[in-house]
Amino acid sequence: MSDAFWQSVDLSTFWEYRQVLLAGLWFNVYVFACSATVALAVGLAAALLRVNRSWPFRWIGTVHVELFRNAPDYIMVVWVHFVLPLLLGALIGRRLEIHPFVSAVIALGFVYSGYFAETFRAGIQAIPVGHVEAARACGMADRLILRRIILPQVVRRMLPEAVNQFVSLFKATTIVSLIAVPDLMYQVSMVIATEMRPLPLYTGAALTYFAVIYFVATGVRLLSERWRNKIYA
Amino acid sequence: MSNWERLVWNQQGVLLQGLGVTVEVCLIAFAVAITGGLTLCLIRTYFPPLRFAAIVLIEFFRATPIFVQLVWIAYVWPELFGWPNSFFTAGWLALGLQSSGYLAETFRAGIEGVARGHREAGYSVGMSPLLVFQRIVMPQAVLTVSPSIVNQFTVIVKSSTLISVITVQDLMFQAMKLVNVWYEPIEILTVTAGIYIVMVFLVSTAGKMLADLLRRRYGLAAA
């Protein structure tokens, strides 16, 4: 027992492979950045549909949100990776291959767009009607109102909630290893396959993710609070 | 549509068996999460000697991805602690522990949300701290946080898809097995995704209804 304990705390094997593993961690960041961009763009579009005046648009927005918010991210990643190329291929009439990285970004981006849509919507609906009416009375067009009056306030309001969702999204990037995107977890399992020493490697991976997520999230929360306070003051 | 019949309808026994395992794991994990979360929260709030340890555990469970925790508990813990001795146990343990970290923070928000005056009123009529906690703080805290607790259950259901990776034979596992037998993923994966989405949708709708009910009946805002 104590032997196993020292084996798993002894991280020298983990350290030995630091270059490969670091490259894997960068892949996590890379997947995160791309899918966060997709999630924000699609989420904003869905939120705008949900607050639209005509009901068919609202309905599409609601279906989008309910579909993706209630879908487990692993099955969505698998579905996009295995099913989507076949469906699209049948549509255009030839074989289609989607790179695992692209599947991962599409799947995670769309799943998290559901969460971001709700955050955006809550932010939009929290803005007093008077602001929009005042802008309209000044003769601003709808798109200008969105850009100058609504979005700047929404971003500030939704920031704490959005940071939480970015954290969840980053944590979700670990599952892309399951469709062979070479992220940290993937590299860890590759190293385990050659070294046959799962204890220190899995422990090292857990500690690395914990350190990265905990400190970055705390730092970002601190900065965003400071920024919000400065603007509200 | 014979494909649907061959690939999904004729395999319903296997899929339902997997669904049963999924439900079982999720319920056990939910019980573990509530018990663990409450324990961690009480230690953090009322038992200073172990407060630091509780905070470390809560932050570790919250800041580590579930997939990483899952393989860590499944492959490292048996060597480290001699337990869990099966992947099934490792599955619900990992899901439960991850959510206990989140629930500990939810419970804490609920307890701290109880107005100070209520507690002081309890003390001023001569109630002991334990009685104040039991009669004044706990009932109010449980009501305010119950919608969040239901939400945490949806997180457990969603994360439970990952236990298929450590070969627990849940719905996801059976679906992937069928995919690997037939090499025709369209129908199986779509139906499986649909089952999961409906399941999570039902749970989260129940949570929303609960929150509305509490707001109407007790005038409580969701924590």
Side-chain angles (χ1 to χ4, degrees):
Chain A
M1 142 105 204
S2 69
D3 188 39
F5 179 76
W6 288 116
Q7 227 192 80
S8 55
V9 201
D10 172 26
L11 296 176
S12 56
T13 322
F14 191 75
W15 182 246
E16 208 177 296
Y17 285 92
R18 60 191 175 279
Q19 278 173 338
V20 185
L21 297 173
L22 196 65
L25 189 62
W26 275 119
F27 239 95
N28 277 111
V29 176
Y30 197 32
V31 173
F32 167 76
C34 296
S35 44
T37 314
V38 174
L40 281 175
V42 180
L44 179 60
L48 291 177
L49 285 176
R50 284 205 80 181
V51 297
N52 200 290
R53 255 167 273 151
S54 53
W55 68 265
F57 288 110
R58 274 208 305 275
W59 192 80
I60 296 173
T62 309
V63 169
H64 176 99
V65 167
E66 291 300 340
L67 184 64
F68 289 109
R69 245 169 31 130
N70 292 320
D73 29 23
Y74 178 37
I75 188 139
M76 289 312 275
V77 168
V78 171
W79 193 89
V80 168
H81 187 57
F82 291 114
V83 178
L84 194 65
L86 295 180
L87 292 182
L88 288 180
L91 207 64
I92 60 173
R94 63 188 172 89
R95 254 178 79 83
L96 194 70
E97 294 247 347
I98 300 186
H99 194 269
F101 178 81
V102 180
S103 318
V105 167
I106 294 175
L108 290 179
F110 269 82
V111 166
Y112 280 82
S113 76
Y115 298 95
F116 278 112
E118 281 301 85
T119 317
F120 271 120
R121 186 187 58 94
I124 292 172
Q125 285 177 342
I127 291 173
V129 188
H131 290 201
V132 179
E133 284 169 353
R136 212 166 271 152
C138 297
M140 281 177 141
D142 273 359
R143 287 187 50 183
L144 200 62
I145 294 177
L146 182 68
R147 214 178 61 217
R148 291 249 183 98
I149 312 287
I150 296 179
L151 279 186
Q153 299 193 64
V154 168
V155 169
R156 270 163 234 159
R157 273 173 210 268
M158 67 180 260
L159 209 55
E161 184 57 31
V163 171
N164 287 340
Q165 270 150 22
F166 283 131
V167 172
S168 308
L169 176 55
F170 187 78
K171 290 199 282 184
T173 60
T174 50
I175 63 172
V176 302
S177 59
L178 297 172
I179 55 166
V181 177
D183 78 332
L184 176 55
M185 275 317 269
Y186 181 84
Q187 302 291 12
V188 162
S189 46
M190 287 296 114
V191 175
I192 287 173
T194 49
E195 287 278 328
M196 291 298 172
R197 294 187 60 195
L199 296 196
L201 285 157
Y202 279 134
T203 308
L207 290 176
T208 308
Y209 274 118
F210 170 71
V212 169
I213 292 170
Y214 181 73
F215 289 111
V216 172
T218 312
V220 171
R221 279 196 191 108
L222 215 68
L223 284 179
S224 77
E225 265 326 287
R226 197 174 289 168
W227 184 67
R228 265 160 48 96
N229 288 342
K230 202 160 71 186
I231 288 175
Y232 273 134
Chain B
M1 288 291 124
S2 63
N3 250 1
W4 292 87
E5 194 184 327
R6 177 168 58 93
L7 294 168
V8 180
W9 188 249
N10 291 347
Q11 309 295 337
Q12 55 174 302
V14 186
L15 292 175
L16 284 178
Q17 205 183 338
L19 187 63
V21 175
T22 295
V23 171
E24 197 182 344
V25 167
C26 290
L27 289 179
I28 300 175
F30 193 43
V32 171
I34 290 179
T35 324
L38 199 58
T39 314
L40 283 173
C41 161
L42 291 180
I43 290 174
R44 181 175 183 172
T45 324
Y46 296 107
F47 195 62
L50 284 179
R51 169 174 293 166
F52 184 70
I55 292 178
V56 169
L57 282 180
I58 292 172
E59 293 300 338
F60 181 75
F61 293 145
R62 271 158 43 101
T64 323
I66 178 65
F67 175 47
V68 180
Q69 263 179 45
L70 192 67
V71 291
W72 188 57
I73 288 177
Y75 297 124
V76 178
W77 277 30
E79 305 274 333
L80 210 53
F81 307 117
W83 191 77
N85 47 17
S86 77
F87 285 137
F88 181 81
T89 314
W92 59 251
L93 188 64
L95 293 173
L97 287 182
Q98 156 116 11
S99 286
S100 73
Y102 284 99
L103 284 184
E105 291 297 272
T106 311
F107 286 130
R108 192 165 69 100
I111 289 175
E112 284 175 359
V114 174
R116 209 186 154 79
H118 292 203
R119 229 167 288 179
E120 285 166 356
Y123 290 129
S124 71
V125 295
M127 285 176 149
S128 69
L130 193 67
L131 203 61
V132 167
F133 183 76
Q134 188 189 330
R135 294 249 181 99
I136 315 275
V137 177
M138 211 51 203
Q140 299 193 63
V142 167
L143 279 184
T144 41
V145 302
S146 50
S148 316
I149 297 178
V150 178
N151 273 340
Q152 195 60 43
F153 188 56
T154 65
V155 175
I156 292 180
V157 177
K158 285 186 220 168
S159 310
S160 79
T161 48
L162 288 168
I163 61 174
S164 61
V165 177
I166 56 164
T167 68
V168 179
Q169 309 200 339
D170 71 335
L171 177 58
M172 189 71 193
F173 181 88
Q174 303 291 10
M176 291 308 277
K177 207 167 85 179
L178 290 177
V179 168
N180 288 331
V181 171
W182 297 95
Y183 289 107
E184 283 175 281
I186 299 181
E187 291 85 2
I188 301 167
L189 285 181
T190 308
V191 167
T192 310
I195 295 175
Y196 273 112
I197 291 172
V198 169
M199 224 166 20
V200 177
F201 177 74
L202 290 179
V203 176
S204 65
T205 309
K208 251 176 244 160
M209 279 162 66
L210 182 66
D212 287 345
L213 182 80
L214 293 177
R215 199 171 302 135
R216 266 203 317 276
R217 188 170 292 175
Y218 302 102
L220 295 168

